[in-house]
Amino acid sequence: MRSRDKAAVSALRSTLAALDNAEAVPVDDVELRSPALEQSPVGVGATEATRRELSERDVVDVVRAEAAERLEAAAQLTAPAHADRAGQLRAEAAVLLRFLDGPGTA
């Protein structure tokens, strides 16, 4: 990161956001229909929900999906005008895949 590797920074930021989204609690249709205002919970933390804990396998799946998404997008950018963007996407995917290869390769 100290070398200001833009591909690595971009890939890691968006992957961290994807992991954060994966930890979110799913919302059911039943929960969308709340009770009357006077029956709603009050007080500090009354509306807080515990986030899901991702297993190591879940994290690997999210990172792998992020890398695959970038490679797919790069494959669709075939015009010469988009060569720079396709290269950037491939570099970001390579950064993510390096983390999946195991310790000592990142």
Side-chain angles (χ1 to χ4, degrees):
M1 294 297 166
R2 289 185 173 222
S3 64
R4 302 198 189 261
D5 185 358
K6 290 182 182 181
V9 170
S10 176
L12 294 174
R13 279 186 181 157
S14 63
T15 302
L16 286 173
L19 288 167
D20 196 38
N21 287 340
E23 291 175 337
V25 178
V27 178
D28 296 332
D29 289 337
V30 176
E31 292 179 16
L32 294 177
R33 289 184 236 119
S34 61
L37 182 60
E38 60 273 3
Q39 295 174 348
S40 62
V42 293
V44 175
T47 59
E48 295 296 320
T50 305
R51 295 182 67 80
R52 294 186 317 158
E53 274 192 48
L54 298 177
S55 68
E56 186 174 338
R57 183 81 224 148
D58 293 334
V59 172
V60 168
D61 289 344
V62 169
V63 174
R64 197 173 307 281
E66 287 290 309
E69 184 178 309
R70 282 168 176 72
L71 290 174
E72 182 180 326
Q76 292 178 1
L77 296 174
T78 57
H82 299 295
D84 289 343
R85 179 65 181 144
Q88 181 182 3
L89 288 168
R90 285 187 191 95
E92 289 178 13
V95 167
L96 296 176
L97 292 174
R98 251 193 342 237
F99 282 101
L100 296 178
D101 288 340
T105 59

